PDB file of all heavy atoms in Angstrom:
ATOM      1  N   VAL A  54      -1.914 -18.605  -8.306  1.00  0.00           N
ATOM      2  CA  VAL A  54      -0.480 -18.759  -8.594  1.00  0.00           C
ATOM      3  C   VAL A  54       0.057 -20.091  -8.073  1.00  0.00           C
ATOM      4  O   VAL A  54      -0.449 -20.645  -7.102  1.00  0.00           O
ATOM      5  CB  VAL A  54       0.353 -17.597  -7.994  1.00  0.00           C
ATOM      6  CG1 VAL A  54       0.101 -16.315  -8.751  1.00  0.00           C
ATOM      7  CG2 VAL A  54       0.083 -17.421  -6.510  1.00  0.00           C
ATOM      8  N   GLY A  93      -0.184  -8.476   6.007  1.00  0.00           N
ATOM      9  CA  GLY A  93       0.203  -7.170   6.548  1.00  0.00           C
ATOM     10  C   GLY A  93       1.259  -7.340   7.621  1.00  0.00           C
ATOM     11  O   GLY A  93       1.647  -8.458   7.977  1.00  0.00           O
ATOM     12  N   GLY A 106       7.774 -19.010  19.176  1.00  0.00           N
ATOM     13  CA  GLY A 106       7.272 -19.492  20.461  1.00  0.00           C
ATOM     14  C   GLY A 106       7.437 -20.993  20.595  1.00  0.00           C
ATOM     15  O   GLY A 106       7.777 -21.502  21.678  1.00  0.00           O
ATOM     16  N   HIS A 122       3.773  -0.640  19.115  1.00  0.00           N
ATOM     17  CA  HIS A 122       2.382  -0.720  18.671  1.00  0.00           C
ATOM     18  C   HIS A 122       1.861  -2.081  19.150  1.00  0.00           C
ATOM     19  O   HIS A 122       2.624  -3.040  19.250  1.00  0.00           O
ATOM     20  CB  HIS A 122       2.395  -0.664  17.140  1.00  0.00           C
ATOM     21  CG  HIS A 122       1.068  -0.631  16.479  1.00  0.00           C
ATOM     22  ND1 HIS A 122       0.310  -1.750  16.294  1.00  0.00           N
ATOM     23  CD2 HIS A 122       0.366   0.395  15.924  1.00  0.00           C
ATOM     24  CE1 HIS A 122      -0.804  -1.431  15.659  1.00  0.00           C
ATOM     25  NE2 HIS A 122      -0.796  -0.129  15.420  1.00  0.00           N
ATOM     26  N   LEU A 130       3.193 -11.108  23.827  1.00  0.00           N
ATOM     27  CA  LEU A 130       2.569 -11.279  25.143  1.00  0.00           C
ATOM     28  C   LEU A 130       1.828 -12.618  25.203  1.00  0.00           C
ATOM     29  O   LEU A 130       1.976 -13.395  26.158  1.00  0.00           O
ATOM     30  CB  LEU A 130       1.594 -10.116  25.339  1.00  0.00           C
ATOM     31  CG  LEU A 130       0.897  -9.951  26.666  1.00  0.00           C
ATOM     32  CD1 LEU A 130       1.850  -9.359  27.687  1.00  0.00           C
ATOM     33  CD2 LEU A 130      -0.293  -9.005  26.515  1.00  0.00           C
ATOM     34  N   CYS A 138       7.152 -17.944  29.214  1.00  0.00           N
ATOM     35  CA  CYS A 138       8.340 -17.078  29.044  1.00  0.00           C
ATOM     36  C   CYS A 138       8.081 -15.733  29.723  1.00  0.00           C
ATOM     37  O   CYS A 138       6.943 -15.382  30.030  1.00  0.00           O
ATOM     38  CB  CYS A 138       8.607 -16.823  27.565  1.00  0.00           C
ATOM     39  SG  CYS A 138       8.919 -18.328  26.631  1.00  0.00           S
ATOM     40  N   SER A 154      20.789   3.668  27.322  1.00  0.00           N
ATOM     41  CA  SER A 154      21.643   3.322  28.459  1.00  0.00           C
ATOM     42  C   SER A 154      21.131   2.066  29.180  1.00  0.00           C
ATOM     43  O   SER A 154      21.825   1.495  30.008  1.00  0.00           O
ATOM     44  CB  SER A 154      21.710   4.500  29.444  1.00  0.00           C
ATOM     45  OG  SER A 154      20.445   4.668  30.050  1.00  0.00           O
ATOM     46  N   GLY A 161      19.382  -9.528  28.547  1.00  0.00           N
ATOM     47  CA  GLY A 161      20.342 -10.294  29.355  1.00  0.00           C
ATOM     48  C   GLY A 161      20.538 -11.713  28.840  1.00  0.00           C
ATOM     49  O   GLY A 161      20.038 -12.082  27.773  1.00  0.00           O
ATOM     50  N   HIS A 171      11.086  -0.130  14.414  1.00  0.00           N
ATOM     51  CA  HIS A 171      12.130   0.678  13.777  1.00  0.00           C
ATOM     52  C   HIS A 171      11.882   2.159  14.085  1.00  0.00           C
ATOM     53  O   HIS A 171      12.825   2.933  14.221  1.00  0.00           O
ATOM     54  CB  HIS A 171      12.115   0.429  12.262  1.00  0.00           C
ATOM     55  CG  HIS A 171      13.347   0.900  11.551  1.00  0.00           C
ATOM     56  ND1 HIS A 171      13.688   0.492  10.292  1.00  0.00           N
ATOM     57  CD2 HIS A 171      14.330   1.751  11.918  1.00  0.00           C
ATOM     58  CE1 HIS A 171      14.818   1.072   9.924  1.00  0.00           C
ATOM     59  NE2 HIS A 171      15.222   1.841  10.897  1.00  0.00           N
ATOM     60  N   ASN A 174       5.110   4.746  16.161  1.00  0.00           N
ATOM     61  CA  ASN A 174       3.928   5.349  15.524  1.00  0.00           C
ATOM     62  C   ASN A 174       3.316   6.426  16.409  1.00  0.00           C
ATOM     63  O   ASN A 174       2.379   7.091  15.999  1.00  0.00           O
ATOM     64  CB  ASN A 174       2.872   4.274  15.200  1.00  0.00           C
ATOM     65  CG  ASN A 174       2.252   3.683  16.450  1.00  0.00           C
ATOM     66  OD1 ASN A 174       2.967   3.242  17.338  1.00  0.00           O
ATOM     67  ND2 ASN A 174       0.943   3.673  16.541  1.00  0.00           N
ATOM     68  N   VAL A 179      13.083   7.259  16.049  1.00  0.00           N
ATOM     69  CA  VAL A 179      13.678   6.151  15.296  1.00  0.00           C
ATOM     70  C   VAL A 179      14.603   5.385  16.237  1.00  0.00           C
ATOM     71  O   VAL A 179      15.420   5.990  16.945  1.00  0.00           O
ATOM     72  CB  VAL A 179      14.467   6.676  14.073  1.00  0.00           C
ATOM     73  CG1 VAL A 179      15.151   5.529  13.334  1.00  0.00           C
ATOM     74  CG2 VAL A 179      13.537   7.436  13.131  1.00  0.00           C
ATOM     75  N   ALA A 194      20.501 -13.973  21.068  1.00  0.00           N
ATOM     76  CA  ALA A 194      19.084 -13.824  20.723  1.00  0.00           C
ATOM     77  C   ALA A 194      18.941 -13.370  19.271  1.00  0.00           C
ATOM     78  O   ALA A 194      19.854 -12.789  18.695  1.00  0.00           O
ATOM     79  CB  ALA A 194      18.429 -12.800  21.649  1.00  0.00           C
ATOM     80  N   PHE A 218      14.843 -10.425  11.278  1.00  0.00           N
ATOM     81  CA  PHE A 218      13.515 -10.381  10.647  1.00  0.00           C
ATOM     82  C   PHE A 218      13.104  -8.921  10.524  1.00  0.00           C
ATOM     83  O   PHE A 218      13.387  -8.118  11.426  1.00  0.00           O
ATOM     84  CB  PHE A 218      12.464 -11.114  11.500  1.00  0.00           C
ATOM     85  CG  PHE A 218      12.777 -12.567  11.743  1.00  0.00           C
ATOM     86  CD1 PHE A 218      13.415 -12.971  12.914  1.00  0.00           C
ATOM     87  CD2 PHE A 218      12.450 -13.535  10.805  1.00  0.00           C
ATOM     88  CE1 PHE A 218      13.710 -14.301  13.145  1.00  0.00           C
ATOM     89  CE2 PHE A 218      12.735 -14.880  11.025  1.00  0.00           C
ATOM     90  CZ  PHE A 218      13.374 -15.262  12.200  1.00  0.00           C
ATOM     91  N   MET A 226       2.961   2.531   2.651  1.00  0.00           N
ATOM     92  CA  MET A 226       4.033   3.010   1.755  1.00  0.00           C
ATOM     93  C   MET A 226       3.530   3.112   0.319  1.00  0.00           C
ATOM     94  O   MET A 226       4.191   2.692  -0.608  1.00  0.00           O
ATOM     95  CB  MET A 226       5.266   2.139   1.846  1.00  0.00           C
ATOM     96  CG  MET A 226       4.957   0.692   1.723  1.00  0.00           C
ATOM     97  SD  MET A 226       6.335  -0.265   1.190  1.00  0.00           S
ATOM     98  CE  MET A 226       7.486   0.865   0.570  1.00  0.00           C
ATOM     99  N   THR A 230      -3.866  -2.173   0.398  1.00  0.00           N
ATOM    100  CA  THR A 230      -4.137  -2.861   1.657  1.00  0.00           C
ATOM    101  C   THR A 230      -4.073  -4.369   1.399  1.00  0.00           C
ATOM    102  O   THR A 230      -4.021  -4.819   0.254  1.00  0.00           O
ATOM    103  CB  THR A 230      -5.548  -2.515   2.188  1.00  0.00           C
ATOM    104  OG1 THR A 230      -6.495  -2.862   1.169  1.00  0.00           O
ATOM    105  CG2 THR A 230      -5.679  -1.051   2.518  1.00  0.00           C
ATOM    106  N   LEU A 241      17.473 -18.704   9.383  1.00  0.00           N
ATOM    107  CA  LEU A 241      16.560 -18.638  10.533  1.00  0.00           C
ATOM    108  C   LEU A 241      15.134 -19.010  10.132  1.00  0.00           C
ATOM    109  O   LEU A 241      14.458 -19.754  10.841  1.00  0.00           O
ATOM    110  CB  LEU A 241      16.586 -17.242  11.159  1.00  0.00           C
ATOM    111  CG  LEU A 241      17.920 -16.865  11.798  1.00  0.00           C
ATOM    112  CD1 LEU A 241      17.856 -15.461  12.389  1.00  0.00           C
ATOM    113  CD2 LEU A 241      18.303 -17.865  12.889  1.00  0.00           C
ATOM    114  N   GLN A 257       4.567 -33.455   0.196  1.00  0.00           N
ATOM    115  CA  GLN A 257       3.806 -34.703   0.230  1.00  0.00           C
ATOM    116  C   GLN A 257       2.831 -34.670   1.401  1.00  0.00           C
ATOM    117  O   GLN A 257       3.200 -34.285   2.510  1.00  0.00           O
ATOM    118  CB  GLN A 257       4.763 -35.883   0.455  1.00  0.00           C
ATOM    119  CG  GLN A 257       5.745 -36.103  -0.691  1.00  0.00           C
ATOM    120  CD  GLN A 257       5.024 -36.479  -1.973  1.00  0.00           C
ATOM    121  OE1 GLN A 257       4.080 -37.272  -1.956  1.00  0.00           O
ATOM    122  NE2 GLN A 257       5.454 -35.886  -3.083  1.00  0.00           N
ATOM    123  N   PRO A 278      -2.013 -12.938  -1.669  1.00  0.00           N
ATOM    124  CA  PRO A 278      -2.544 -11.674  -2.195  1.00  0.00           C
ATOM    125  C   PRO A 278      -1.827 -11.294  -3.494  1.00  0.00           C
ATOM    126  O   PRO A 278      -0.950 -10.428  -3.511  1.00  0.00           O
ATOM    127  CB  PRO A 278      -2.239 -10.681  -1.068  1.00  0.00           C
ATOM    128  CG  PRO A 278      -1.065 -11.266  -0.346  1.00  0.00           C
ATOM    129  CD  PRO A 278      -1.113 -12.745  -0.525  1.00  0.00           C
ATOM    130  N   TRP A 291       7.190   3.069  -8.393  1.00  0.00           N
ATOM    131  CA  TRP A 291       6.830   4.492  -8.318  1.00  0.00           C
ATOM    132  C   TRP A 291       7.810   5.237  -7.404  1.00  0.00           C
ATOM    133  O   TRP A 291       8.333   6.302  -7.768  1.00  0.00           O
ATOM    134  CB  TRP A 291       5.390   4.615  -7.803  1.00  0.00           C
ATOM    135  CG  TRP A 291       4.946   6.030  -7.642  1.00  0.00           C
ATOM    136  CD1 TRP A 291       4.467   6.857  -8.615  1.00  0.00           C
ATOM    137  CD2 TRP A 291       4.982   6.803  -6.437  1.00  0.00           C
ATOM    138  NE1 TRP A 291       4.190   8.093  -8.091  1.00  0.00           N
ATOM    139  CE2 TRP A 291       4.496   8.090  -6.753  1.00  0.00           C
ATOM    140  CE3 TRP A 291       5.363   6.536  -5.121  1.00  0.00           C
ATOM    141  CZ2 TRP A 291       4.387   9.106  -5.808  1.00  0.00           C
ATOM    142  CZ3 TRP A 291       5.253   7.558  -4.184  1.00  0.00           C
ATOM    143  CH2 TRP A 291       4.776   8.815  -4.523  1.00  0.00           C
ATOM    144  N   ARG A 305      10.962  16.759   5.822  1.00  0.00           N
ATOM    145  CA  ARG A 305      11.660  17.162   7.054  1.00  0.00           C
ATOM    146  C   ARG A 305      11.449  18.648   7.336  1.00  0.00           C
ATOM    147  O   ARG A 305      11.235  19.048   8.480  1.00  0.00           O
ATOM    148  CB  ARG A 305      13.158  16.847   6.951  1.00  0.00           C
ATOM    149  CG  ARG A 305      13.506  15.430   7.397  1.00  0.00           C
ATOM    150  CD  ARG A 305      14.993  15.260   7.630  1.00  0.00           C
ATOM    151  NE  ARG A 305      15.765  15.555   6.434  1.00  0.00           N
ATOM    152  CZ  ARG A 305      15.908  14.719   5.415  1.00  0.00           C
ATOM    153  NH1 ARG A 305      15.332  13.547   5.443  1.00  0.00           N
ATOM    154  NH2 ARG A 305      16.629  15.050   4.356  1.00  0.00           N
ATOM    155  N   LEU A 307       8.896  20.417   6.491  1.00  0.00           N
ATOM    156  CA  LEU A 307       7.522  20.587   6.980  1.00  0.00           C
ATOM    157  C   LEU A 307       7.381  20.095   8.421  1.00  0.00           C
ATOM    158  O   LEU A 307       6.635  20.672   9.220  1.00  0.00           O
ATOM    159  CB  LEU A 307       6.537  19.828   6.083  1.00  0.00           C
ATOM    160  CG  LEU A 307       6.315  20.407   4.680  1.00  0.00           C
ATOM    161  CD1 LEU A 307       5.382  19.496   3.878  1.00  0.00           C
ATOM    162  CD2 LEU A 307       5.738  21.817   4.741  1.00  0.00           C
ATOM    163  N   ARG A 310       8.517  22.784  10.651  1.00  0.00           N
ATOM    164  CA  ARG A 310       7.476  23.829  10.754  1.00  0.00           C
ATOM    165  C   ARG A 310       6.362  23.392  11.696  1.00  0.00           C
ATOM    166  O   ARG A 310       5.858  24.166  12.486  1.00  0.00           O
ATOM    167  CB  ARG A 310       6.866  24.092   9.375  1.00  0.00           C
ATOM    168  CG  ARG A 310       7.615  25.115   8.558  1.00  0.00           C
ATOM    169  CD  ARG A 310       6.701  25.703   7.495  1.00  0.00           C
ATOM    170  NE  ARG A 310       5.542  26.349   8.105  1.00  0.00           N
ATOM    171  CZ  ARG A 310       4.361  26.494   7.499  1.00  0.00           C
ATOM    172  NH1 ARG A 310       4.177  26.051   6.285  1.00  0.00           N
ATOM    173  NH2 ARG A 310       3.360  27.086   8.118  1.00  0.00           N
ATOM    174  N   ASP A 313       7.598  23.553  15.232  1.00  0.00           N
ATOM    175  CA  ASP A 313       7.664  24.964  15.665  1.00  0.00           C
ATOM    176  C   ASP A 313       6.273  25.488  15.970  1.00  0.00           C
ATOM    177  O   ASP A 313       6.048  26.134  17.005  1.00  0.00           O
ATOM    178  CB  ASP A 313       8.264  25.840  14.556  1.00  0.00           C
ATOM    179  CG  ASP A 313       9.784  25.751  14.546  1.00  0.00           C
ATOM    180  OD1 ASP A 313      10.335  25.134  15.486  1.00  0.00           O
ATOM    181  OD2 ASP A 313      10.400  26.273  13.589  1.00  0.00           O
ATOM    182  N   GLY A 314       5.337  25.215  15.075  1.00  0.00           N
ATOM    183  CA  GLY A 314       3.965  25.714  15.235  1.00  0.00           C
ATOM    184  C   GLY A 314       3.319  25.147  16.483  1.00  0.00           C
ATOM    185  O   GLY A 314       2.642  25.863  17.230  1.00  0.00           O
ATOM    186  N   LYS A 327      11.825  16.706  20.134  1.00  0.00           N
ATOM    187  CA  LYS A 327      11.472  17.985  19.491  1.00  0.00           C
ATOM    188  C   LYS A 327      12.456  18.352  18.385  1.00  0.00           C
ATOM    189  O   LYS A 327      12.212  19.259  17.602  1.00  0.00           O
ATOM    190  CB  LYS A 327      11.398  19.087  20.530  1.00  0.00           C
ATOM    191  CG  LYS A 327      10.232  18.865  21.482  1.00  0.00           C
ATOM    192  CD  LYS A 327       9.976  20.020  22.402  1.00  0.00           C
ATOM    193  CE  LYS A 327       8.926  19.660  23.428  1.00  0.00           C
ATOM    194  NZ  LYS A 327       9.320  18.578  24.346  1.00  0.00           N
ATOM    195  N   GLU A 330      16.468  15.227  14.533  1.00  0.00           N
ATOM    196  CA  GLU A 330      17.456  14.165  14.463  1.00  0.00           C
ATOM    197  C   GLU A 330      16.823  12.833  14.890  1.00  0.00           C
ATOM    198  O   GLU A 330      16.185  12.754  15.924  1.00  0.00           O
ATOM    199  CB  GLU A 330      18.592  14.543  15.420  1.00  0.00           C
ATOM    200  CG  GLU A 330      19.829  13.712  15.305  1.00  0.00           C
ATOM    201  CD  GLU A 330      20.555  13.721  16.657  1.00  0.00           C
ATOM    202  OE1 GLU A 330      20.328  14.661  17.450  1.00  0.00           O
ATOM    203  OE2 GLU A 330      21.281  12.782  16.904  1.00  0.00           O
ATOM    204  N   LEU A 369       2.423   2.342  26.280  1.00  0.00           N
ATOM    205  CA  LEU A 369       3.215   3.567  26.131  1.00  0.00           C
ATOM    206  C   LEU A 369       2.451   4.760  26.695  1.00  0.00           C
ATOM    207  O   LEU A 369       3.004   5.582  27.444  1.00  0.00           O
ATOM    208  CB  LEU A 369       3.560   3.800  24.653  1.00  0.00           C
ATOM    209  CG  LEU A 369       4.278   5.114  24.343  1.00  0.00           C
ATOM    210  CD1 LEU A 369       5.630   5.188  25.058  1.00  0.00           C
ATOM    211  CD2 LEU A 369       4.476   5.288  22.841  1.00  0.00           C
ATOM    212  N   ALA A 376      -3.816   9.482  29.813  1.00  0.00           N
ATOM    213  CA  ALA A 376      -4.966   8.575  29.947  1.00  0.00           C
ATOM    214  C   ALA A 376      -5.859   8.576  28.716  1.00  0.00           C
ATOM    215  O   ALA A 376      -6.464   7.562  28.385  1.00  0.00           O
ATOM    216  CB  ALA A 376      -5.764   8.957  31.186  1.00  0.00           C
ATOM    217  N   ILE A 398      -3.824  26.302  11.905  1.00  0.00           N
ATOM    218  CA  ILE A 398      -4.932  27.257  12.082  1.00  0.00           C
ATOM    219  C   ILE A 398      -6.142  26.519  12.679  1.00  0.00           C
ATOM    220  O   ILE A 398      -6.786  26.988  13.620  1.00  0.00           O
ATOM    221  CB  ILE A 398      -5.295  27.928  10.729  1.00  0.00           C
ATOM    222  CG1 ILE A 398      -4.129  28.814  10.262  1.00  0.00           C
ATOM    223  CG2 ILE A 398      -6.574  28.759  10.851  1.00  0.00           C
ATOM    224  CD1 ILE A 398      -4.224  29.263   8.811  1.00  0.00           C
TER     225      ILE A 398
END
Side-chain angles (χ1 to χ4, degrees):
V54 289
H122 184 280
L130 186 77
C138 300
S154 68
H171 196 163
N174 68 308
V179 177
F218 301 96
M226 49 157 345
T230 57
L241 294 180
Q257 295 296 318
W291 178 82
R305 273 195 301 281
L307 289 176
R310 273 202 60 207
D313 279 352
K327 293 189 187 64
E330 191 207 338
L369 175 62
I398 293 166

